[in-house]
Amino acid sequence: MKEILVIHTGGTIAMSEDKETGKVIPGDVNPLHETYALLSQIAKVTMDDFLNLPSPHITPEQMIKLSNYIHMKIEQKNFDGVVVTHGTDTLEETAYLLDLLHDGETPIIMTGAMRSSNELGSDGPHNLITSVRAAASDDAKGKGVLVVFNDEIHAAKYATKTHTSNIATFQSPQSGPIGIITKRGVLFHHNLVHREHYDTSSVSMNVVLLKAYAGMQKELLQAVRTTEIDGLVIEALGQGNLPPDLMEEIGHFIDNQIPIVMVSRCFNGIVQDIYSYDGGGRKLKERGVILTNGLNGPKARLKLLVTLEMNYNMEQLREAFSSN
């Protein structure tokens, strides 16, 4: 029987709703421990209450600590797989950062819930059970960090939360799921062509994320520049375009060796150097802005945090984000 480590970090999956007040908050006892008997039929499971925080309270520093902890536990006992339960609001960010830092064969599965443990139709126990099944699957080896939700398996690189409350919230707009979980088994039908790995155990840089909008004022970039940031990610319009009034400020960042990474605010497609008008993607690339190959804003921010921690120069950053 496979040995699976289940690490709890909190979130809705570990919460209950007070029927009198309607409040949904963490309790003293994780309700997921009640699933232990069912999980024991699938694998030899070790439960570990690492954190008990709502996911908006999770920081990149805590994500790094979680990554270091997972790798320490794998080295200590050589677990066949790891499952991490997590709040859904920032689950995709934790999953992606863990994926950037994980180069082993051991599968790491992330899951959560949209409904608290005592709600009708709570999805937490089912998602945990299917995640343990996925972690115990031989076919999950070498695929990095995966997100399991609603009987679907998504690559951490592409998975994103698409709905505020629906249990099918996690989707991969660019690629679709790479597998499914049925009553009969765990079935993978896609493989990732390229996996990345960065060898760092800390993050200390300050990277800001902004979203572009019609008529965006240059004063916003001026204000950001005064905060002594190390990098900037902008969710640009369309294929990678910005209002023309921002071009001068963009130049100030580049001239001061502060990298700007540009993604699209669209959830499908990639940014490209197509338009040559003032503020267009080609002009921005010529000025030194780094274009990505399909990451969303929050994930691009994490990747920039990691690569800056490794002292990547502008050319190395450009190559890292283009190869995604």
Side-chain angles (χ1 to χ4, degrees), residues 36-88:
Y36 184 80
L38 291 173
L39 296 176
S40 297
Q41 298 174 25
I42 303 167
K44 184 178 179 181
V45 172
T46 300
M47 294 273 198
D48 189 323
D49 291 316
F50 181 72
L51 285 175
N52 190 14
L53 292 174
S55 63
H57 295 192
I58 301 289
T59 65
E61 290 76 17
Q62 289 166 324
M63 297 175 193
I64 288 283
K65 289 179 181 178
L66 175 60
S67 173
N68 295 339
Y69 186 74
I70 289 171
H71 292 128
M72 178 192 73
K73 299 296 281 189
I74 291 174
E75 289 178 5
Q76 285 179 346
K77 198 168 182 180
N78 195 28
F79 286 99
D80 297 296
V82 177
V83 174
V84 179
T85 65
H86 196 285
T88 59

Side-chain angles (χ1 to χ4, degrees), residues 96 100 157-158 174 194-196 198 270 292-296 303 318-324:
Y96 181 62
L100 291 178
K157 182 187 295 185
Y158 301 116
Q174 294 277 39
H194 174 65
R195 281 187 62 198
E196 298 175 274
Y198 298 94
I270 63 175
T292 61
N293 186 16
L295 290 176
N296 64 21
K303 185 170 179 176
R318 203 177 312 282
E319 182 178 349
F321 279 93
S322 66
S323 65
N324 185 36

Side-chain angles (χ1 to χ4, degrees), residues 131-145:
S131 294
V132 170
R133 290 177 63 199
S137 168
D138 288 334
D139 291 336
K141 291 180 179 178
K143 290 184 170 62
V145 178

Side-chain angles (χ1 to χ4, degrees), residues 224-237:
V224 169
R225 196 154 51 90
T226 65
T227 63
E228 299 183 358
I229 65 171
D230 300 296
L232 175 64
V233 176
I234 301 178
E235 290 190 359
L237 309 171

